[in-house]
Amino acid sequence: MGKDSPLTLSQRGPDAREEVPRRTPKRLDAAARIMYQPELLTCLHCGDLLVPWNSLAWEKTVQTLTCLLSIATRPGRCPHATCPGSRLRLRSAAAQRMAPPGSTYGSDVLVRLGWLRQHQRATSSEMHTDLSCRVPISESHVRYLSQHVYLPLLACHERQQYGRLAQVAKEQGGLIVALDGLAPQGGEPQIWFIRDLSTGLTLRRGWLAQLDQPTFEAFLAPLRHLEWPILAGLSDKQTG
Ligand SMILES: [Zn+2]
C-alpha cells in the first residue's frame, strides 16, 4: 500500500476493498494512513463538480484482519451557495465500508466473527482462537464485539432510526445508498449491506449464497417501498 498515494487508493474504488483474509497476519508498527474522497464527483442537484469540505467527516484507527489503518474521509459539497448541494456533506462509500460507525475493528473482522458465529456455530472461545491469530484481541472483547457491535450491525434501522433518516432525506432531497458485500471465506455466502451513505445506518442486509441478477433484484426490491427517493446508489463492481 506504501506505493499508492492515498488519493489513488480511494479512487480505485472497488479494487481497494478488503480482500479475502490471508492466513498470515501482516501487522504494521504504525498505522498506514488513507484519506478517502467521495466517489460521487458531481453535485446531484446541479451536476457541477464537487469541492472538498475543509474539515474531515471522521478520522479513526481501524484494525482489519490484515493490518492497522488510519482512515479519514473528507466529504465533498457543491461550490454554489444557492444550490441545495452546497449544504450536503457527500461522503466516501469505500471509507464507510471499512468499519461500522463507532467500531475500531474493520468490517472484515466483524463479518468473519459473524460467519463463525452464525454459520459455524462457534463459541466465544473458538471465535477468539480463530481471530486472535490475525488480530490482537482478547476473548472478552470477542464477546463484546459479538453482542454489541456485530448484532446491531445486522439490525435494519429503517424503523428504529426513522427520524434520523427522514431528516437526512429532507436535507438532501432523498437518500444516497451504498451497496456492498463482504465474503468471510472464498466460496461461502457473502454478507451484503445496503446503507445510507450519510449516516452509515443499515437499511437492509443479508447473507447471499448467489450473486446473480434475481438474487440482487430480490435483495434490492424493498428499497422501492422506502418513502424517500433514492438520489444515487453506489456499489462495488458486482455484475449481478
Ligand atoms: Zn449543486
Side-chain angles (χ1 to χ4, degrees), residues 86-100:
S86 65
R87 298 193 301 271
L88 307 186
R89 290 164 71 90
L90 291 163
R91 297 163 184 220
S92 159
Q96 189 180 79
R97 178 188 304 146
M98 294 297 286

Side-chain angles (χ1 to χ4, degrees), residues 7-172:
L7 192 61
T8 317
L9 190 70
S10 69
Q11 283 178 336
R12 279 214 315 257
D15 298 331
R17 67 192 273 261
E18 292 136 299
E19 291 164 8
V20 174
R22 273 170 254 149
R23 277 284 154 197
T24 358
K26 190 174 70 181
R27 281 173 200 161
L28 304 177
D29 294 326
R33 191 159 195 272
I34 309 177
M35 174 69 73
Y36 284 90
Q37 321 281 340
E39 290 79 11
L40 282 172
L41 299 177
T42 55
C43 174
L44 291 167
H45 295 275
C46 73
D48 215 342
L49 282 177
L50 299 178
V51 295
W53 275 87
N54 289 332
S55 54
L56 299 176
W58 51 262
E59 182 168 26
K60 66 182 175 182
T61 302
V62 173
Q63 175 69 58
T64 74
L65 284 173
T66 50
C67 58
L68 188 65
L69 295 172
S70 166
I71 298 175
T73 181
R74 186 180 294 286
R77 63 174 171 84
C78 176
H80 305 298
T82 51
C83 176
S86 65
R87 298 193 301 271
L88 307 186
R89 290 164 71 90
L90 291 163
R91 297 163 184 220
S92 159
Q96 189 180 79
R97 178 188 304 146
M98 294 297 286
S103 171
T104 56
Y105 281 94
S107 299
D108 59 346
V109 176
L110 292 160
V111 165
R112 179 151 187 93
L113 182 152
W115 177 77
L116 291 166
R117 178 186 162 127
Q118 275 186 269
H119 295 272
Q120 305 291 93
R121 304 268 175 258
T123 62
S124 300
S125 163
E126 288 164 342
M127 290 193 281
H128 177 247
T129 304
D130 181 280
L131 290 173
S132 63
C133 65
R134 295 153 188 260
V135 297
I137 193 165
S138 67
E139 191 176 330
S140 63
H141 210 109
V142 167
R143 277 197 299 275
Y144 176 83
L145 286 182
S146 180
Q147 289 297 322
H148 300 287
V149 184
Y150 176 69
L151 289 182
L153 189 66
L154 293 186
C156 297
H157 295 111
E158 185 190 332
R159 287 199 175 75
Q160 300 99 304
Q161 301 279 354
Y162 179 89
R164 214 170 140 201
L165 289 167
Q167 180 65 31
V168 167
K170 193 177 153 202
E171 284 167 11
Q172 295 183 158

